[in-house]
Amino acid sequence: MTVHALLYSLHVLAALVWVGGMFFAWLVLRPAAVVALEGPARLGLWVEVLRRFFRWVWASVVLLPLSGIGLLDLGFAGLDGAPRYVQAMIGLYIAMVALFLRILALQFPQLRRAVDAGDWAAGAAALGQIRRLVGFNLLLGLTVVVLATARPGF
């Protein structure tokens, strides 16, 4: 396996974990949890799901720029030589990380505190905020995937 192939594989896998995880959580797990679980159990489930998922997101947050920098150096001789779609992907990555950090630092602790205190209304409000931010982050991530696969000439 060449260095380029290794970096590209790691890059795609990191993106797959992050964007695919959001897709699964938002479009599969959430609707199923609403049908199958009462509010308190659903909130407890989300605390555990997000705690575990955020570990993987951290791995993606670290791996994407590391592999991306390597790909930039190998494929485009650095950022200056990169096409605009690659530069747009970098900008969207920064926005996605900012949203992730907001969820991690603000909304997720609110959810955990509410669940620990048995304050189901506050927990539902915190989870609603997380859901909206994850939904927006999912749209950004899907946009990155489209840019990566379409490679537009803008």
Side-chain angles (χ1 to χ4, degrees), residues 1 3-20 56 59-72 76 85-90 93 96 144-145 147-149 151:
M1 179 179 278
V3 172
H4 184 271
L6 176 64
L7 289 172
Y8 191 72
S9 295
L10 291 172
H11 200 74
V12 169
L13 288 171
L16 178 67
V17 165
W18 192 359
V19 177
W56 289 100
S60 295
V61 163
V62 170
L63 196 54
L64 284 165
L66 292 177
S67 58
I69 289 167
L71 290 169
L72 279 174
F76 303 112
Y85 79 89
V86 171
Q87 296 174 10
M89 289 168 55
I90 294 167
Y93 164 82
M96 289 179 68
V144 171
V145 170
L147 286 172
T149 56
R151 299 177 183 218

Side-chain angles (χ1 to χ4, degrees), residues 5-45:
L6 176 64
L7 289 172
Y8 191 72
S9 295
L10 291 172
H11 200 74
V12 169
L13 288 171
L16 178 67
V17 165
W18 192 359
V19 177
M22 289 188 297
F23 184 92
F24 173 78
W26 219 74
L27 295 166
V28 178
L29 182 58
R30 181 184 172 274
V34 167
V35 171
L37 300 172
E38 296 296 321
R42 189 167 54 244
L43 292 172
L45 171 72

Side-chain angles (χ1 to χ4, degrees), residues 33-152:
V34 167
V35 171
L37 300 172
E38 296 296 321
R42 189 167 54 244
L43 292 172
L45 171 72
W46 278 110
V47 167
E48 291 304 314
V49 165
L50 292 172
R51 184 177 63 79
R52 287 170 172 80
F53 178 58
F54 289 163
R55 291 179 189 152
W56 289 100
V57 174
W58 269 120
S60 295
V61 163
V62 170
L63 196 54
L64 284 165
L66 292 177
S67 58
I69 289 167
L71 290 169
L72 279 174
D73 288 343
L74 290 172
F76 303 112
L79 183 59
D80 291 339
R84 287 196 179 164
Y85 79 89
V86 171
Q87 296 174 10
M89 289 168 55
I90 294 167
L92 290 170
Y93 164 82
I94 292 167
M96 289 179 68
V97 170
L99 283 172
F100 167 64
L101 292 174
R102 178 186 169 117
I103 293 167
L104 188 67
L106 301 176
Q107 275 70 44
F108 187 59
Q110 288 176 350
L111 175 61
R112 272 197 339 246
R113 283 192 301 272
V115 169
D116 289 346
D119 186 348
W120 309 123
L127 185 59
Q129 290 174 341
I130 291 170
R131 181 181 54 81
R132 284 186 290 281
L133 291 172
V134 168
F136 187 67
N137 228 10
L138 175 59
L139 290 175
L140 293 177
L142 292 172
T143 301
V144 171
V145 170
V146 168
L147 286 172
T149 56
R151 299 177 183 218

